Amino acid sequence: QVQLVESGGGLVQAGGSLRLSCAASGRTFSSYTMGWFRQPPGKEREFVAAIRWSGSNTLYANSVKGRFTISRDSAENTVYLQMNSLKPEDTAVYYCAADTSSGVFIYTPWSQYDYWGQGTQVTVSS
């Protein structure tokens, strides 16, 4: 069993920054992919970024590339999403997720991920 707890969401003005954290517990994560997804109001859940727990492979959605950075702290079992130059269209509930079966690949469909956090709201005002 894997438990994921997000934190760090909030209200920020356009152009500002936030850092989301995802604290993971329950199992070892060395072979997992950790992802961030978001669900804007009235829209479907979408991929934001992912990172292999071992190694440094990362993947970003085109909409956040160059503005968001995903990272992980193995000692703290925590994954981060640093979000800079935020835009109103980044407003969404952000979810942390774990893919425990991807092997060496990073997948973007949310259905590939089998453990999810409860989500944290990010609101960007214009």
Side-chain angles (χ1 to χ4, degrees), residues 43-64:
K43 297 185 179 180
E44 294 188 354
R45 192 168 300 189
E46 63 185 24
F47 172 81
V48 174
I51 187 169
R52 290 284 297 160
W53 196 270
S54 60
S56 59
N57 288 0
T58 58
L59 185 67
Y60 295 92
N62 288 334
S63 58
V64 306

Side-chain angles (χ1 to χ4, degrees), residues 3-4 23:
Q3 293 82 40
L4 304 173

Side-chain angles (χ1 to χ4, degrees), residues 67-80:
R67 300 188 297 123
F68 291 10
T69 302
I70 189 171
S71 62
R72 86 270 185 268
D73 183 330
S74 299
E76 296 293 328
N77 276 354
T78 300
V79 177
Y80 301 99

Side-chain angles (χ1 to χ4, degrees), residues 13-18 66-68 83-88 90 124:
Q13 287 189 333
S17 298
L18 282 174
R67 300 188 297 123
F68 291 10
M83 305 185 295
N84 298 329
S85 302
L86 282 161
K87 305 175 181 180
D90 294 318
V124 184

